[in-house]
C-alpha cells in the first residue's frame, strides 16, 4: 500500500526524467549498470511522502522504476494520467491519492473498484484463474506484491533485490537486529543510485 503515499509535488517535479530513455541492446537482468548508464534508462520517478515501517515520522522516498515493464505494464502512462487527473481537479501538491478534502485516501477506498476490474480481467483473459474467488482472495494490499514477486522470480532477480523492493529493510542473519537498506530519499541522484534494484525489479514485472 506504499503507493498511496505518492506525493504530487515530487511527481510533477521529476515527471520528465527518464521519459526518452532507452534500454541497451542485449540487456540482461544479471547486468549491473553504472549510475551514468542508469540515467539513460527509460524510467519514471515515484516520490513518496509518509510514515513508513521502521521509521520515526513522515519522510520522503524516491524510487526510479521502468517506464514500461517486460510484460507490457505502462507505468509511466499511469503516473502521467494520475498527475493529469490531479491537476484537472486543481491539485498540485499534497497526496496524489486524495479525497475531495485533499486528505490522503485509504487503499481500502479503492478495493471495490479493484475487484470489479479484476473480475473483468478474469472473464476476458487467462491472467486470473477462472476458479479463483476474487472477492475472497484479491485486494490492493496483497495481490500486486505477490504477482510482482512471482514475475521477479521467473526473471531471475536475486533474492536480496526482491527483499529490498518488498520490505525496504531486512533482518540480518544470525544477529537478530534489523538493518535498513540504503535510503532512496531526498534527491534524484539517490534514486538513480538505487536503480540496479528498483529498475531491474520493476522491468521484470
Amino acid at each position: 500500500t506504499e503507493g498511496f503515499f505518492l506525493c504530487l509535488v515530487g511527481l510533477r517535479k521529476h515527471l520528465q526524467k527518464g521519459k526518452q530513455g532507452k534500454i541497451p541492446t542485449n540487456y540482461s537482468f544479471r547486468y549491473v549498470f553504472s549510475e551514468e548508464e542508469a540515467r539513460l534508462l527509460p524510467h519514471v520517478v515515484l516520490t513518496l511522502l509518509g510514515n513508513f515501517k521502521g521509521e520515526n515520522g513522515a519522510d520522503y522516498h524516491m524510487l526510479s522504476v521502468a517506464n514500461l515493464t517486460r510484460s507490457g505494464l505502462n507505468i509511466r502512462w499511469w503516473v502521467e494520467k494520475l498527475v493529469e487527473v490531479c491537476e484537472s481537479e486543481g491539485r498540485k501538491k499534497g497526496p496524489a491519492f486524495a479525497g475531495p478534502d485533499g486528505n490522503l485516501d485509504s487503499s481500502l477506498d479503492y478495493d471495490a473498484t479493484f475487484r470489479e476490474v479484476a473480475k473483468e480481467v478474469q472473464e476476458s483473459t487467462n491472467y486470473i484463474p477462472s476458479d479463483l474467488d476474487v472477492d475472497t482472495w484479491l485486494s490492493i494490499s496483497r495481490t500486486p506484491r505477490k504477482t510482482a514477486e512471482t514475475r521477479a522470480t521467473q526473471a531471475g532477480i536475486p533474492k536480496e533485490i526482491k527483499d529490498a523492493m518488498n520490505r525496504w529493510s531486512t533482518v540480518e542473519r544470525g544477529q537478530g537486529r534489523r538493518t535498513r537498506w540504503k535510503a532512496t530519499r531526498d534527491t534524484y541522484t539517490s534514486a538513480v543510485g538505487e536503480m540496479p534494484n528498483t529498475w531491474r525489479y520493476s522491468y521484470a514485472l
Side-chain angles (χ1 to χ4, degrees):
T1 58
E2 289 89 352
F4 280 86
F5 290 94
L6 284 170
C7 172
L8 264 178
V9 171
L11 290 180
R12 296 177 67 246
K13 179 179 179 180
H14 300 286
L15 195 57
Q16 299 305 312
K17 299 284 189 182
K19 188 169 185 176
Q20 304 302 326
K22 294 183 179 180
I23 300 174
T25 304
N26 300 322
Y27 167 77
S28 168
F29 282 107
R30 295 293 179 181
Y31 180 71
V32 180
F33 37 78
S34 68
E35 182 174 314
E36 288 305 311
E37 290 173 317
R39 290 178 183 272
L40 300 177
L41 290 169
H43 63 277
V44 60
V45 182
L46 307 180
T47 305
L48 311 176
L49 174 60
N51 194 343
F52 300 101
K53 295 177 181 178
E55 298 180 3
N56 296 319
D59 205 350
Y60 281 102
H61 287 267
M62 293 175 63
L63 300 93
S64 295
V65 299
N67 284 343
L68 182 68
T69 72
R70 192 173 62 166
S71 67
L73 297 175
N74 197 332
I75 300 175
R76 170 169 285 280
W77 186 91
W78 286 106
V79 171
E80 291 181 345
K81 181 60 66 174
L82 175 61
V83 171
E84 179 184 321
V85 169
C86 290
E87 290 180 342
S88 71
E89 296 174 345
R91 296 191 294 114
K92 296 184 178 181
K93 61 181 181 179
F97 289 99
D101 56 2
N103 292 325
L104 179 69
D105 278 340
S106 165
S107 62
L108 296 177
D109 297 332
Y110 295 82
D111 256 348
T113 300
F114 175 80
R115 291 192 177 99
E116 288 178 8
V117 174
K119 290 176 181 178
E120 293 178 7
V121 172
Q122 185 181 46
E123 293 174 357
S124 59
T125 73
N126 60 358
Y127 293 137
I128 301 176
S130 59
D131 59 348
L132 184 73
D133 187 338
V134 170
D135 290 322
T136 300
W137 296 106
L138 300 192
S139 71
I140 283 180
S141 62
R142 292 183 177 181
T143 307
R145 172 169 290 179
K146 291 183 178 179
T147 302
E149 288 176 346
T150 299
R151 290 187 180 276
T153 299
Q154 293 171 342
I157 297 296
K159 181 179 183 298
E160 60 269 21
I161 293 180
K162 291 186 288 184
D163 287 343
M165 287 297 297
N166 288 338
R167 299 180 181 87
W168 294 2
S169 62
T170 186
V171 177
E172 292 183 347
R173 292 183 179 179
Q175 298 186 28
R177 59 189 178 88
R178 188 167 296 277
T179 180
R180 291 173 58 191
W181 293 84
K182 179 181 178 182
T184 56
R185 65 181 63 188
D186 296 335
T187 67
Y188 174 64
T189 299
S190 298
V192 169
E194 281 295 310
M195 283 177 68
N197 289 339
T198 60
W199 192 91
R200 283 194 292 169
Y201 186 97
S202 59
Y203 181 62
L205 301 182

